Amino acid sequence: MLCQPSAGSLTMQAPAKLNLFLRVVRRRSDGFHDLETVMTAVNLFDTLTFEPNASSEIQLRVLMAGTRNQSSRPAAPIPTGADNLVIRAAQLLKDHAGISAGVRITLIKRIPSAAGMGGGSSDAAATLAGLNRFWRLSRTQGELMDLAAQLGSDIGFFLGASSTAVCRGRGELIEPLRFPTSLYFVVARPHSGLSTPAVFKQCTPGVSARGVDEFVHSLKQQGLGHTVRLLLNDLQGPAERLNDEVRQLREHFSKLPVLGHQMTGSGTSYFGICASLQQARVIAARLRAVGVPWVQVASSCS
Ligand code: ATP
């Protein structure tokens, strides 16, 4: 997360994430799932600006960023009221601190929604970290992590200091993973999105025998060339059964010279790992040429 203070206001850049590995271990008695996942933050950002509000209200304005020749239409409507994770995070922090201050927040959305790229979670993390500073609350990282866990599973990852991490449990047990080189991706999203609960409902937990330790060991010891063979996402099969556009993306990627490819999170976005930024640009152009509506080149955040 990048933080830029300026006179009276504060701007945060909230990154997207990609899941390089995602194993659904078991369904828990509380209805959530235990996961083993490796997430990496990438340089596709939503932007949040916090400005003073004369009233004690938390106000949110959501703007959709359009990029040239790319569909900025969200796959699912983004709530602008109390359901938006930005408002929920701001309200939770305000209640926790017991303050009366308000804030005007502008959210510029670039991360596709309902796409498995963690946009809402990242926005919530940027709100907790940004308002902690904007309201001069001095809450510790541990306190912010506790609030994050009350809001959702992936928010702790985005609050953490490491841009790549192994996350376990519901996602709240976070182990930083230092990775020496940048990873280059081409990321594509079809027209439609998928709801995370619907995809988990379709998934049979505990099917994949290979655990995250083997993936991490390979990444550290044998490098990317070997590790791309161990990419895994247990949610991809269920997502393909629910949404044919995910299967179509897999077919497009399987014809491209990427090192490896898979869906991220609960979909519908799909990524290929490329040998270089230049190769990622060439592949992105090929995907646009066959009509994929949203294609971006990205690299892992350092
Ligand atoms: P996940 O974190 O489960 O991988 P996702 O990346 O697939 O989620 P998000 O963009 O986080 O998808 O949005 C999931 C849903 O959350 C959206 O359909 C929307 O209704 C709701 N939502 C709430 N706040 C936000 C926000 N700030 N940005 C995007 N979606 C939001």
Side-chain angles (χ1 to χ4, degrees), residues 56-58 89-102 135:
S56 62
E57 266 182 82
I58 296 166
Q91 192 63 54
L92 187 66
L93 184 62
K94 181 174 156 145
D95 293 346
H96 182 263
I99 56 167
S100 61
W135 283 333

Side-chain angles (χ1 to χ4, degrees), residues 15-80:
K17 57 87 177 165
L18 297 174
N19 296 83
L20 303 179
F21 185 96
L22 195 165
R23 177 170 173 244
V24 182
V25 180
R26 69 181 72 80
R27 187 167 196 278
R28 306 172 357 166
S29 55
D30 61 8
F32 290 103
H33 291 82
D34 278 329
L35 305 178
E36 287 181 345
T37 184
V38 175
M39 294 204 270
T40 190
V42 294
N43 62 349
L44 299 171
F45 298 98
D46 285 347
T47 303
L48 294 99
T49 302
F50 304 95
E51 293 169 294
N53 194 347
S55 85
S56 62
E57 266 182 82
I58 296 166
Q59 292 170 337
L60 175 67
R61 194 163 60 120
V62 181
L63 305 174
M64 301 307 299
T67 48
R68 210 155 39 99
N69 301 327
Q70 301 260 5
S71 162
S72 62
R73 183 168 53 94
I78 301 198
T80 52

Side-chain angles (χ1 to χ4, degrees), residues 229-299:
R229 284 181 251 161
L230 304 177
L231 292 174
L232 179 87
N233 186 345
D234 278 350
L235 297 176
Q236 184 165 333
E240 286 189 21
R241 288 195 289 281
L242 289 169
N243 187 315
D244 198 51
E245 290 190 311
V246 178
R247 184 192 59 76
Q248 288 168 19
L249 278 179
R250 172 167 55 76
E251 286 186 356
H252 283 313
F253 273 89
S254 61
K255 292 178 198 137
L256 294 167
V258 289
L259 300 174
H261 57 92
Q262 72 178 17
M263 190 184 79
T264 179
S266 53
T268 48
S269 292
Y270 205 98
F271 65 91
I273 303 181
C274 300
S276 66
L277 199 53
Q278 195 187 11
Q279 191 205 24
R281 288 192 183 120
V282 171
I283 289 172
R286 285 177 64 175
L287 286 166
R288 288 185 194 116
V290 295
V292 178
W294 185 94
V295 184
Q296 288 282 326
V297 167
S299 49

Side-chain angles (χ1 to χ4, degrees), residues 89-155:
Q91 192 63 54
L92 187 66
L93 184 62
K94 181 174 156 145
D95 293 346
H96 182 263
I99 56 167
S100 61
V103 63
R104 285 186 298 130
I105 307 172
T106 303
L107 167 63
I108 303 176
K109 284 297 298 180
R110 293 186 195 85
I111 304 172
S113 64
M117 297 176 75
S121 301
S122 187
D123 294 345
T127 302
L128 290 174
L131 284 179
N132 187 38
R133 191 164 167 168
F134 184 74
W135 283 333
R136 299 176 198 276
L137 298 175
S138 305
R139 290 296 179 270
T140 63
Q141 180 74 357
E143 286 173 302
L144 296 182
M145 282 289 192
D146 286 346
L147 295 179
Q150 292 176 42
L151 289 166
S153 303
D154 292 342
I155 301 171

